[in-house]
């Protein structure tokens, strides 16, 4: 039982400006189900990418020993040949091809270069039986649900004679029934001698299925626990995940909180890609003037979806619920409506959705408020330049001038441009989605200062963040969101990382 | 900082976004100087004016194309629209319609067809390539419902415009068509750089998703650029009718590709969001100057024009690729 199938020692992986993994160790015993837990950004997925050769040998430091041999994978094909298969959170299936074609993609059953379809479909059928999927192998993948697609991925892994199966958040997109089936299947694979590594945010599943768990935090290994001998509980895992001291990374602020500014009630949003799946489920929340409110939730909880559906219905279908501004009900159907009602949303993916990277600072700042800078369609370029210069000074955007191309700025300065753009529209309510993602510590402090200043001006701010310390340091009140439902509302003086993590993972209180 | 070693000095002195335009400008000057050294009577102002005169219609069409490409779209229908415009003008003039009424009608038809294509592209979310391809066949087909033969234009106004020359002093003169083309360029440049519509065009091409989330009217912008392109191709058709004094269903075959080539050589990114109308003007001038040089050479067949254009296109697309690769690496 003590034989290790995999041993990763001293793994360090750096990206420009960030160290994602620092001297991480991982040892997986043969035939066990090994869970990896950690907050968003703790380095779980990066570690698995190192293992599977997505980051080839040479791009990281440290040693991987698999089945007693040192491995230097140059790519995914190498690791698959050794028997390591990774199933990513975003499934890698071709939706237009059949189940059987997908299973043998890149690994076709062929005789002298000609595909043997009988054998392909027959063997695919056998694999489907093994994973308990009752579908015809010739069915197109886009015709089956996400839960079944996950099973197809596992069947595909089995076809490659997998010895170590890695699943990244396998149940994140599944409903309870599909999740339960998947977990059963993993137990069956374990009985067949296949070792599994599972990354999951759902701690109840980890407790239910794993034999041991490794906890990562900030790119370091914190500990590896044996489920049976260490009597691991969810609380034990949570304290390992968050046990980080809060240092003085936040500017001081004395909140002065006023009247209610913004409220949504019973907000429900359905997924546009998976019909019938509720992404946001009856959520209600309220912001007051001068208040900074946090929205905490793990990846896939529906935070961004909630924000975007409120912001001019830019996400989701069959949206229902009520929005109130200053106590009066309002209708928001488009982004223009939202801006008109004084609502701004700074996206989590500023490079793709927040900025025009190939244009300069002044035009990015003015983009959402051209109406105010133009008369009868003609843009007042002098005024635009003046406004942009004003923001460059007040927001401390570090650039040679407002003519600089936004794509060349650092993350922190890009974020300041995004905030400038929205502040220029003079909003009363700002929804900031991961405002400090990918930003270094110094710039984070500046962004926090800006957020505080906005609250002082009497604006209501909703901050969505994956980093609990950030929410604890910044917010007056924090809502937790789990699987689209608001599961808690914690005022500042009662908020601790443990309590929030508990609400974020446990579900309804 | 980048892998491009050829232009380090240039990149330091001028902002990167102007480099493609400058490269085209340098190329144009180099060709002009080389022509002047090689041929007698080449290096005169009239040569450049003649390029404008001979390519006025292409310039106008390319202006519309620039708008479309800046949003990240493409308009394949412009060549057929030019032919359709010449056919409608020629046949209506033959029926005795007044010249100015014909011109107005042709422009309205061009804009309307562009508007229709833009609306289909936006509301049905079909790729512009497909929609304008359909538009290209439609317009070309409509030409033949009017006539399969070439129709000569004998209208007095048209012939007067065709033969008029505006004296610029010295020995220099231009045609009214060239003046119209330059006016269109100026208006286009003004709209692109000083109006909200222009800003929306660049923003849509830079990142349509971002533009949507900034609350910009992406729908109106996309429809507007195809309308502008339709209008410009109809106007280009009128200029072509002045130039050829006839309407023919087979005229301007492949002109859409010349227009796209001019825009790309002018430094506008095919993916949208970056480029200048002055670049497009230079692109048209380069194409025109190649033709002039080949006609001066005398021994080369006119197909060499196509070969040079092909080589130039490759060169410019490679150049763009290198620059975009360079700018992607540099933020880190």
């Amino acid at each position: 039982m003590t034989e290790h199938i995999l041993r990763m020692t001293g793994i360090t992986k750096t990206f420009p400006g960030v160290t994602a993994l620092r001297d991480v160790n991982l040892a997986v015993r043969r035939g066990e189900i090994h869970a990896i837990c950690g907050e968003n950004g703790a380095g779980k997925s990066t570690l698995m990418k190192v293992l599977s050769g997505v980051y080839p040998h040479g791009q990281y430091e440290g040693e991987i020993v698999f089945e007693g041999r040192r491995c230097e994978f140059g790519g995914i094909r190498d690791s698959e040949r050794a028997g390591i298969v990774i199933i990513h959170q975003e499934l890698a299936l071709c939706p237009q091809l059949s189940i059987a074609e997908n299973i043998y993609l890149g690994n076709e059953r062929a005789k002298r270069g000609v595909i043997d379809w009988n054998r392909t479909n027959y063997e695919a059928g056998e694999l489907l039986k093994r994973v308990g999927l009752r579908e015809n192998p010739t069915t197109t993948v886009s015709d089956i649900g996400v839960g079944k697609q996950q099973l197809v991925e596992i069947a595909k892994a089995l076809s490659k004679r997998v010895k170590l199966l890695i699943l990244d958040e396998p149940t994140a997109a599944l409903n309870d029934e599909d999740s339960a089936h998947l977990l059963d299947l993993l137990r069956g694979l374990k009985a067949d001698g296949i070792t599994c590594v599972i990354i999951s945010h759902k701690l109840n599943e980890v407790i239910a299925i794993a034999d041991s768990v490794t906890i990562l935090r900030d790119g370091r290994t914190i500990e590896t626990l044996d489920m049976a001998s260490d009597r691991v509980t969810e609380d034990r895992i949570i304290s390992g995940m968050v046990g980080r001291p809060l240092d003085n990374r936040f500017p001081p602020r004395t909140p002065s909180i006023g009247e209610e500014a913004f409220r949504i009630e019973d907000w429900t949003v359905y997924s546009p890609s998976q019909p019938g799946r509720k992404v946001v489920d009856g959520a209600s929340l309220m912001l007051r003037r001068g208040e900074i409110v946090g929205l905490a939730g793990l990846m896939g909880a529906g935070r961004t979806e909630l924000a975007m559906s409120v912001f001019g219905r830019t996400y989701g279908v069959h949206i229902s619920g009520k929005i109130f501004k200053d106590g009066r009900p309002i209708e928001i159907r488009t982004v223009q409506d939202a801006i008109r009602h004084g609502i701004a949303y700074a996206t989590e993916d500023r490079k793709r959705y927040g900025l025009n990277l190939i244009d300069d600072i002044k035009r990015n700042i003015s983009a959402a408020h051209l109406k105010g800078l133009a008369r009868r369609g003609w843009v007042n370029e002098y005024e635009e330049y003046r406004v942009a210069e004003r923001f460059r000074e007040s927001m401390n955007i570090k650039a040679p001038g407002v003519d600089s191309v936004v794509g060349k700025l650092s993350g922190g300065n890009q974020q300041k441009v995004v905030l400038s753009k929205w502040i220029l529209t003079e909003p009363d309510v700002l929804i900031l989605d991961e405002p400090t993602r990918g930003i270094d510590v110094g710039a984070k402090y500046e962004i926090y200062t800006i957020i505080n200043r906005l609250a002082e001006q009497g604006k209501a701010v909703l901050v969505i963040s994956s980093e609990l310390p950030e929410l604890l340091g910044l917010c007056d009140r924090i809502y937790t969101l789990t699987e689209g439902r608001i599961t808690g509302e914690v005022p500042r003086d009662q908020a601790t990382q443990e309590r929030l993590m508990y609400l974020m993972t446990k579900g309804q209180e | 900082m980048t892998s491009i070693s050829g232009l380090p000095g240039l990149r330091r002195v001028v902002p990167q976004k102007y480099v493609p335009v400058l490269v085209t400008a340098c190329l144009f000057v180099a060709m002009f100087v080389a022509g002047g050294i090689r041929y007698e009577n080449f290096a005169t102002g009239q040569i450049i004016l003649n390029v404008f005169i001979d390519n006025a219609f292409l310039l106008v069409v390319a202006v519309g194309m620039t708008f479309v490409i800046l949003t990240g779209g493409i308009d394949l229908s412009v060549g057929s629209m030019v032919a359709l415009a010449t056919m409608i003008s020629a046949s209506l003039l033959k029926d005795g319609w007044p010249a100015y009424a014909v011109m107005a009608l042709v422009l309205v038809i061009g804009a309307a067809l562009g508007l229709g294509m833009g609306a289909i592209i936006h509301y049905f979310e079909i790729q512009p390539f497909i929609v304008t391809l359909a538009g290209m066949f439609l317009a070309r087909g409509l030409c033949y419902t009017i006539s399969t033969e070439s129709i000569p234009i004998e209208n007095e106004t048209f012939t007067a415009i065709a033969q008029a020359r505006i004296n610029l002093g010295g020995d220099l003169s231009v045609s009214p068509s060239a003046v119209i083309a330059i006016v269109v360029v100026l208006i286009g440049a003004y709209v692109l750089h000083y109006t909200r519509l222009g800003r929306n065009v660049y923003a849509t091409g830079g990142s349509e998703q971002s533009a949507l989330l900034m609350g910009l009217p992406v729908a109106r912008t996309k429809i507007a650029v195809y309308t502008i392109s339709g209008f410009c191709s109809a106007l280009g058709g009128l200029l072509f009718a002045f130039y050829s004094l006839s309407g023919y269903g087979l005229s301007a075959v492949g002109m859409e590709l010349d227009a796209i080539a001019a825009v790309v050589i002018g430094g506008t990114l095919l993916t949208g969001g970056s480029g200048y109308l002055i670049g497009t003007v230079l692109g048209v001038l380069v194409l025109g100057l190649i033709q002039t040089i080949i006609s001066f050479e005398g021994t080369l067949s006119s197909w060499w024009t196509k070969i040079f254009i092909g080589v130039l296109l490759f060169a410019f697309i490679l150049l763009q690729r290198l620059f975009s690769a360079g700018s992607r690496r540099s933020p880190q």
Side-chain angles (χ1 to χ4, degrees):
Chain A
M1 195 57 193
T2 45
E3 188 211 353
H4 287 109
I5 186 171
L6 172 74
R7 205 181 260 283
M8 298 175 81
T9 36
I11 303 291
T12 297
K13 167 79 190 159
T14 53
F15 294 104
V18 221
T19 305
L21 297 174
R22 208 185 295 259
D23 194 22
V24 170
N25 300 311
L26 175 70
V28 180
R29 290 174 301 200
R30 183 180 296 280
E32 72 166 348
I33 297 181
H34 192 111
I36 298 181
C37 293
E39 284 186 287
N40 299 336
K44 298 162 294 183
S45 297
T46 312
L47 184 65
M48 290 305 106
K49 283 181 180 164
V50 167
L51 175 58
S52 61
V54 173
Y55 302 127
H57 180 77
Q59 288 192 5
Y60 59 88
E61 291 155 42
E63 192 181 51
I64 301 174
V65 177
F66 183 66
E67 298 245 67
R69 276 203 311 274
R70 270 192 69 166
C71 297
E72 298 182 349
F73 298 133
I76 293 176
R77 280 195 98 91
D78 289 353
S79 64
E80 289 192 344
R81 209 171 294 132
I84 301 175
V85 177
I86 182 165
I87 298 177
H88 292 281
Q89 199 174 346
E90 314 84 31
L91 300 179
L93 295 171
C94 295
Q96 315 299 340
L97 297 182
S98 76
I99 293 176
E101 283 172 303
N102 264 293
I103 290 177
Y104 291 109
L105 200 62
N107 184 22
E108 281 78 6
R109 310 283 96 171
K111 252 188 239 151
R112 270 181 261 113
V114 180
I115 293 176
D116 183 344
W117 285 113
N118 286 333
R119 207 176 129 212
T120 302
N121 289 331
Y122 174 75
E123 290 184 11
E126 293 295 301
L127 288 171
L128 292 185
K129 261 183 225 158
R130 223 178 130 192
V131 299
L133 178 58
R134 276 187 295 274
E135 287 284 345
N136 192 323
T138 55
T139 309
T140 307
V141 162
S142 58
D143 293 342
I144 61 176
V146 191
K148 290 178 174 178
Q149 291 183 5
Q150 190 91 31
L151 297 178
V152 172
E153 281 272 20
I154 294 175
K156 184 174 176 183
L158 293 177
S159 80
K160 293 171 183 161
R161 296 182 204 298
V162 60
K163 290 177 193 150
L164 175 68
L165 181 64
I166 303 165
L167 298 123
D168 192 352
E169 295 284 352
T171 57
L174 303 189
N175 59 30
D176 292 344
E177 197 184 327
D178 284 346
S179 301
H181 180 78
L182 185 77
L183 297 183
D184 276 342
L185 173 61
L186 294 184
R187 287 195 193 95
L189 295 179
K190 180 177 149 188
D192 292 348
I194 293 173
T195 313
C196 281
V197 171
I198 172 170
I199 298 176
S200 182
H201 278 319
K202 296 188 184 169
L203 297 186
N204 53 351
E205 291 177 4
V206 170
I207 299 285
I209 196 173
D211 299 305
S212 52
V213 54
T214 295
I215 299 170
L216 297 184
R217 187 204 309 150
D218 296 337
R220 294 172 208 264
T221 319
I222 300 305
E223 53 196 342
T224 297
L225 304 170
D226 185 275
M227 287 297 178
S229 63
D230 293 337
R231 293 170 189 270
V232 178
T233 61
E234 290 187 33
D235 292 342
R236 177 73 189 74
I237 299 177
I238 288 173
S239 67
M241 282 161 69
V242 299
R244 164 173 41 187
L246 255 183
D247 40 13
N248 208 359
R249 291 180 300 151
F250 299 94
R253 162 176 167 256
T254 346
S256 85
I257 296 170
E259 301 277 288
E260 170 188 315
F262 185 73
R263 177 156 52 100
I264 60 170
E265 263 180 20
D266 201 19
W267 196 253
T268 299
V269 180
Y270 285 87
S271 160
S273 52
Q274 298 161 38
R277 185 168 158 244
K278 277 185 192 173
V279 185
V280 179
D281 187 359
S284 301
L285 50 81
M286 184 266 289
L287 315 177
R288 298 191 189 92
R289 287 177 185 282
E291 190 180 32
I292 303 176
V293 177
L295 182 62
L298 293 164
M299 226 171 267
R303 302 165 302 182
T304 297
E305 291 80 359
L306 171 64
M308 288 181 69
S309 59
V310 169
F311 187 65
R313 310 197 169 199
T314 40
Y315 172 89
V317 292
H318 307 305
I319 298 170
S320 63
K322 291 195 191 98
I323 304 182
F324 298 87
K325 171 91 188 298
D326 302 325
R328 280 190 302 275
I330 55 169
E331 246 334 279
I332 300 179
R333 304 205 151 267
T334 63
V335 175
Q336 281 97 326
D337 286 350
I339 293 174
R340 205 160 36 240
H341 284 296
I343 299 163
Y345 168 69
T347 156
E348 58 172 342
D349 190 346
R350 60 178 169 269
K351 292 194 180 212
R352 263 172 70 203
Y353 299 139
L355 294 165
N356 181 356
L357 289 176
I358 60 177
D359 216 334
D360 58 28
I361 294 176
K362 62 176 189 310
R363 289 177 168 215
N364 268 287
I365 290 181
S366 66
H369 193 60
L370 279 179
K371 230 174 242 162
L373 292 169
R375 236 191 231 174
R376 285 194 224 94
W378 307 104
V379 178
N380 184 339
E381 290 220 320
Y382 172 71
E383 186 63 24
E384 176 185 42
Y385 187 87
R386 247 175 32 102
V387 164
E389 272 295 338
R390 203 179 74 214
F391 275 106
R392 188 167 76 94
E393 270 173 38
S394 67
M395 306 285 269
N396 194 22
I397 299 170
K398 290 180 198 78
V402 293
D403 294 321
S404 306
V405 174
V406 166
K408 300 213 155 181
L409 303 180
S410 71
N413 286 310
Q414 288 185 351
Q415 189 66 4
K416 290 179 202 165
V417 173
V418 172
L419 291 176
S420 305
K421 175 180 79 189
W422 287 118
I423 293 169
L424 182 60
T425 66
E426 295 174 354
D428 304 316
V429 180
L430 286 108
I431 306 173
L432 309 179
D433 198 348
E434 299 283 0
T436 63
R437 174 177 286 177
I439 292 179
D440 63 66
V441 179
K444 276 187 182 175
Y445 192 89
E446 289 185 83
I447 300 285
Y448 298 144
T449 310
I450 293 167
I451 294 174
N452 284 350
R453 203 159 68 205
L454 290 169
E456 259 163 50
Q457 292 163 6
K459 300 182 193 307
V461 185
L462 180 69
V463 177
I464 300 174
S465 177
S466 300
E467 291 181 42
L468 291 182
E470 177 169 290
L471 293 178
L472 290 170
L474 200 61
C475 300
D476 303 314
R477 217 156 30 97
I478 301 170
Y479 288 100
T480 55
L481 191 70
T482 309
E483 289 170 40
R485 286 190 301 271
I486 298 282
T487 51
E489 179 188 348
V490 188
R492 170 173 241 173
D493 47 6
Q494 292 170 24
T496 60
Q497 298 203 49
E498 285 76 10
R499 184 161 164 70
L500 290 176
M501 189 57 90
Y502 175 85
L503 291 168
M504 283 154 66
T505 48
K506 281 242 166 119
Q508 212 106 27
E509 219 178 357
Chain B
M1 175 171 150
T2 73
S3 57
I4 306 158
S5 50
L7 304 160
L10 196 60
R11 294 193 83 190
R12 221 169 297 133
V13 179
V14 295
Q16 190 194 320
K17 53 185 182 177
Y18 300 125
V19 170
V21 173
L22 267 177
V23 170
T24 312
C26 294
L27 180 75
F28 177 72
V29 172
M31 282 168 57
F32 188 68
V33 171
I37 293 168
R38 194 170 156 86
Y39 313 109
E40 269 180 56
N41 303 326
F42 186 91
T44 62
Q46 191 59 43
I47 286 287
I48 293 177
L49 292 177
N50 284 348
V51 171
F52 272 110
I53 292 167
D54 293 338
N55 293 286
F57 48 89
L58 179 61
L59 188 53
V60 171
V61 169
V63 168
M65 187 67 84
T66 309
F67 273 83
V68 172
I69 290 181
L70 278 175
T71 64
I74 195 96
D75 188 351
L76 298 179
S77 70
V78 293
S80 307
M81 276 303 307
V82 166
L84 184 60
T86 65
M87 283 305 272
I88 293 175
S89 319
S91 69
L92 290 181
L93 289 171
K94 205 172 82 178
D95 294 346
W97 279 53
Y100 290 103
V102 169
M103 292 181 199
L105 181 71
V106 164
L107 294 178
V108 168
I109 290 174
L113 279 174
L115 179 82
M117 288 191 295
I120 291 171
I121 288 165
H122 183 79
Y123 289 110
F124 295 94
E125 289 176 21
I126 304 173
Q127 295 95 323
F129 190 98
I130 303 295
V131 175
T132 56
L133 186 71
M136 168 178 135
F137 285 123
L138 180 75
R140 190 66 72 181
L142 285 175
C143 292
Y144 295 106
T145 62
I146 297 170
S147 167
T148 53
E149 305 288 315
S150 170
I151 308 171
I153 294 175
E154 281 147 5
N155 176 285
E156 281 170 23
T157 317
F158 270 58
T159 45
I161 293 175
Q163 284 154 7
R165 283 291 179 272
I166 298 158
N167 211 318
L168 297 180
D171 293 331
L172 304 175
S173 64
V174 289
S175 66
S177 295
V179 174
I180 291 172
I182 288 164
V183 169
V184 168
V185 168
L186 291 178
I187 294 174
Y190 197 72
V191 168
L192 273 181
H193 296 289
Y194 296 101
T195 66
R196 280 168 69 189
L197 172 65
R199 293 311 176 74
N200 295 341
V201 166
Y202 281 99
T204 305
S207 169
E208 193 173 326
Q209 278 298 332
S210 298
L212 271 173
L213 283 179
M214 290 176 197
L216 300 181
V218 171
R220 231 189 301 151
T221 307
K222 278 168 79 178
I223 294 170
V225 294
Y226 288 97
T227 312
I228 290 169
S229 182
F231 177 88
C232 283
S233 42
L235 181 58
L238 286 178
L239 300 188
F240 195 78
F242 297 148
Y243 189 73
S244 62
L245 280 181
S246 67
Y248 186 35
L250 266 181
S251 53
V253 170
M255 189 191 274
E256 60 279 352
L257 304 180
D258 288 335
I260 293 168
V263 173
V264 171
I265 290 174
T268 300
L269 278 182
L270 263 182
T271 46
S274 170
Y276 298 94
L277 260 186
I278 180 70
T280 300
V281 175
L282 287 166
V284 172
L285 287 179
V286 166
L287 293 187
L289 206 60
I290 293 173
Q291 282 165 345
T292 312
I293 288 177
I294 283 165
S295 66
F296 264 75
E297 187 65 36
T299 55
L300 286 172
S301 103
S302 67
W303 289 105
W304 279 93
T305 320
K306 301 278 176 209
I307 292 171
F308 279 118
I309 294 173
V311 170
L312 272 182
L313 269 179
F314 273 126
F316 274 86
I317 288 164
L318 279 177
L319 189 78
Q320 287 185 355
R321 183 78 209 142
L322 286 175
F323 273 116
S324 54
S327 61
R328 213 173 303 134
R329 234 169 281 138
S330 53
Q332 291 299 340

